[in-house]
């Protein structure tokens, strides 16, 4: 058995989500993929995938082995590119994920600039308002907003984003301007559940953390719908600054309680391999870090 070929086949199965899709990607037969996977599992003495008629799922051993396979194959690709004529110009497919609106505003333009510089590259940009598993979903690089819980990932800081509380001019005229975060307890609020899952907003008062319980007529996990609800006067809302940049500029919303703002959230580029990176991942991270730092610094 060609162990490197078997590892590459296993990675394709995990990335594509099925044996058939892996066979198509590898331009081989389904039976060949099945035999290769069976031989690999037999040589390791463990089951890597649980297979049913509808889906496949990585076992615990499979998840660990997948990460190791990615590292080994990335190291091999790096070594080959360093010796070859194409070593200076990365090529191949890169999968990048980011939050939806932030991705539209900042990451998509960054990707376009990267592709203009590296003509041999292809990028699939996956915009998701959830935290994707890089290893399990075959993601090379992710843009994350907020603290990073997974210490196994490599993180490159690119800036910070403020959390802001806003309201429409009409609501401020009828409800009045809140002077302290506690005032929100008696005022209608729109809950953007992707940012704050519960009904508690966090502030800083007199140098100490302050939690405020809020309520209101509308809650949604999508930023655009919540921003529109605030523009319509349904309540006060807490958002990330880029999510309300346009309605603030158009004076459809006004920012309140700026003296009590919670600490800004970090923005990072993360990727799963702490060892040698493939040339394409390194090239994208180097380019994107500079572009995103400039964009976030200009945004303030």
């Amino acid at each position: 058995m060609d162990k490197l070929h078997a590892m590459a086949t296993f990675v394709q199965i995990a990335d594509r989500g099925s044996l058939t899709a892996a066979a198509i990607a590898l331009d081989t037969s389904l039976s060949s993929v099945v035999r290769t996977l069976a031989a690999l599992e037999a040589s390791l003495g463990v089951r890597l995938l649980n297979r049913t008629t509808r889906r496949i799922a990585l076992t615990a051993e499979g998840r660990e082995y997948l990460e190791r396979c990615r590292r080994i194959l990335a190291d091999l690709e790096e070594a080959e590119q360093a010796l070859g004529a194409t070593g200076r110009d990365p090529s191949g497919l890169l999968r990048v994920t980011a939050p939806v609106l932030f991705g539209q505003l900042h990451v998509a333009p960054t990707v376009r600039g990267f592709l203009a510089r590296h003509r041999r590259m292809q990028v699939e940009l996956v915009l998701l308002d959830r935290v994707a598993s890089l290893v399990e979903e075959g993601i090379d690089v992710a843009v994350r907003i907020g603290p990073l819980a997974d210490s196994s990932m490599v993180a490159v800081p690119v800036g910070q984003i403020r959390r802001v509380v806003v309201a429409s001019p009409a609501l401020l005229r009828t409800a009045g301007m809140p002077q302290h975060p506690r005032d929100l307890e008696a005022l209608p609020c729109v809950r953007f559940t992707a940012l704050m899952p519960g009904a508690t907003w966090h502030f800083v008062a007199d140098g100490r953390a302050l939690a405020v319980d809020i309520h209101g007529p509308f809650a949604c996990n999508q930023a655009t719908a919540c921003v529109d609800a605030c523009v319509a006067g349904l309540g006060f809302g807490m958002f990330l600054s880029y999510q309300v940049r346009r309605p603030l500029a158009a004076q459809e919303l006004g920012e309140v309680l700026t003296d009590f703002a919670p600490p800004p959230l970090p923005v990072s580029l993360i990727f799963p391999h702490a060892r040698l990176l493939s040339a394409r991942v390194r090239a994208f991270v180097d380019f994107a870090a500079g572009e995103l730092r400039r964009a976030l610094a200009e945004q303030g």
Side-chain angles (χ1 to χ4, degrees):
M1 178 183 61
D2 182 338
K3 184 61 71 71
L4 285 175
H5 172 71
M7 295 168 79
T9 299
F10 171 57
V11 170
Q12 284 291 335
I13 295 170
D15 286 351
R16 305 288 174 175
S18 76
L19 299 173
T20 301
I24 294 172
L26 293 167
D27 193 23
T28 189
S29 66
L30 175 60
S31 59
S32 175
V33 169
V34 172
R35 287 195 301 270
T36 299
L37 176 61
L40 180 61
E41 290 181 325
S43 71
L44 296 172
V46 298
R47 180 177 289 276
L48 298 173
L49 298 166
N50 289 319
R51 300 179 286 281
T52 68
T53 56
R54 293 187 176 183
R55 62 188 295 271
I56 61 172
L58 289 164
T59 63
E61 294 82 2
R63 284 192 294 272
E64 180 179 353
Y65 190 64
L66 178 61
E67 184 172 354
R68 293 180 181 273
C69 287
R70 291 191 195 281
R71 291 180 181 178
I72 291 169
L73 294 172
D75 287 354
L76 178 62
E77 179 185 18
E78 181 77 9
E80 292 176 343
Q81 288 189 347
L83 295 174
T86 62
R88 298 178 183 175
D89 186 17
S91 62
L93 174 65
L94 194 73
R95 300 190 76 227
V96 179
T97 187
V100 175
L101 184 54
F102 187 86
Q104 293 169 346
L105 291 175
H106 299 303
V107 183
T110 296
V111 168
R112 292 195 296 268
F114 176 75
L115 291 175
R117 179 174 296 188
H118 300 286
R119 299 291 183 177
R120 293 164 54 85
M121 285 293 306
Q122 302 92 45
V123 175
E124 179 184 352
L125 179 59
V126 183
L127 300 181
L128 300 168
D129 280 332
R130 64 172 175 84
V131 177
S133 171
L134 273 63
V135 172
E136 292 185 11
E137 299 184 46
I139 302 293
D140 296 295
V141 183
V143 178
R144 289 276 168 82
I145 300 173
L148 301 176
D150 192 341
S151 60
S152 68
M153 297 293 162
V154 180
V156 177
V158 296
Q160 296 178 323
I161 291 180
R162 295 184 303 120
R163 285 173 282 183
V164 299
V165 177
V166 297
S168 70
L171 180 60
L172 290 175
R173 284 194 297 269
T174 59
M177 178 72 69
Q179 301 301 311
H180 190 275
R182 291 287 186 203
D183 296 343
L184 295 175
E185 294 176 344
L187 296 170
C189 293
V190 170
R191 291 195 298 114
F192 174 33
T193 57
L195 178 62
M196 293 289 187
T200 302
W201 289 354
H202 299 278
F203 298 89
V204 174
D206 298 323
R208 302 174 66 178
L210 173 66
V212 175
D213 294 330
I214 55 93
H215 68 278
F218 185 72
C220 183
N221 65 337
Q222 291 295 320
T224 301
C226 291
V227 171
D228 289 345
C230 288
V231 171
L234 287 184
F236 293 80
M238 178 177 282
F239 301 97
L240 299 175
S241 58
Y242 71 87
Q243 295 168 333
V244 290
R245 184 182 63 181
R246 292 176 181 173
L248 283 173
Q251 298 185 333
E252 296 174 323
L253 292 174
E255 191 172 345
V256 303
L257 298 171
T258 55
D259 292 339
F260 302 91
L265 295 174
V267 183
S268 309
L269 287 165
I270 70 168
F271 43 93
H273 308 306
R275 300 178 63 202
L276 288 176
L277 297 177
S278 68
R280 59 178 177 266
V281 172
R282 179 186 293 112
F284 180 78
V285 168
D286 289 345
F287 180 83
E291 294 296 301
L292 293 176
R293 285 182 184 129
R294 280 190 289 272
L296 291 171
E298 291 172 1
Q299 179 176 291

